Amino acid sequence: LWEETSGMTGALAGTDRDRLTRGGLVPLTTEQGMTLLDTALERPDDAFLVAAQLDTRALRGMAEAGTLAQVLRGVVDVPVRGSGQPSAGAAPLLGRLSGLPEPEREAALLELLLEEISAVLGHDSARAIDPERGLLDMGFDSLSALELRNRLTAATRLRFPSTLVFDHPTPRRLARHVSGLLSPNGEEAVDGVGGSGPDGDGDLRAAIAAIPLARLREAGLMDTLLRLAGRGPVSAASAASDEERIEHIKDAALDDLVRMALADGEE
């Protein structure tokens, strides 16, 4: 990331730059960038070089919170807490939430979610977040979605799939989902519209119907949907392979998703 505006960074808003900086990436001055380029040219035997200025304090904070990307874990000099390990405040939070009636638990989770969403998007206050608005419409992309997932994992000690934001696309629906996971029976709460029970099919159908066909084609999902709908040939082996792939994608970290995407491109 360079300080000087370029074709790649010209469209970045202040909140976008704040997000990158918060992630430990400090903008390079032109002089710093050119010096790093000269240094790289003097090291022809190194196969992989990245010219970047890193905020090690921010990286240490992410390492301690268990949210630091694996590719950067060798940069910091502190033990990296895995995402499966609880943060210091996770146990008290879970104890407080688990003891609340469902409506109060969902309201408390929504408040937590709005704070985390506000932090990820770089807003000054959670009051700027509409709980009924789609997260993608707010500006979430794949990287910010993973950041939110990691924040929620650290805060709640629950394991979430990397597709969390896409599976539950508004703050209120996401709060309802997490509240259901914390319910005594561990199942997502079901109301007359959504949820995981028998009445939740309509919500899923509506979500699929709302996706433009062009986006399904771009995402490479059209053939899979047609096979699942019985509109195309599908063997038992390929069906099993698709099921395993879907489950793997749900739990994949960012590094795994990148590797899968590159493998698909080679195929």
Side-chain angles (χ1 to χ4, degrees), residues 94 97-103 105-106 109 158 175-190 196:
L94 286 176
L97 292 175
S98 299
L100 293 176
E102 182 183 323
R105 183 172 65 242
E106 184 177 322
L109 281 166
L158 296 174
R176 183 178 300 132
H177 170 66
V178 178
S179 177
L181 296 177
L182 294 174
S183 65
N185 59 8
E187 296 177 358
E188 185 176 349
V190 178
S196 58

Side-chain angles (χ1 to χ4, degrees), residues 50-74:
V50 175
Q53 183 175 191
L54 300 175
D55 181 351
T56 54
R57 179 180 296 181
L59 297 181
R60 289 191 187 100
M62 288 187 289
E64 293 169 355
T67 59
L68 183 65
Q70 186 173 356
V71 71
L72 293 174
R73 290 181 182 178

Side-chain angles (χ1 to χ4, degrees), residues 140-156:
F140 269 86
D141 55 23
S142 57
L143 292 178
S144 52
L146 285 172
E147 182 181 349
L148 179 60
R149 190 277 301 267
N150 293 342
R151 282 173 169 268
L152 292 180
T153 296
T156 65

Side-chain angles (χ1 to χ4, degrees), residues 79-104:
V80 178
R81 184 175 65 81
S83 59
Q85 297 175 282
S87 64
L93 173 66
L94 286 176
R96 180 173 66 86
L97 292 175
S98 299
L100 293 176
E102 182 183 323
E104 295 180 24

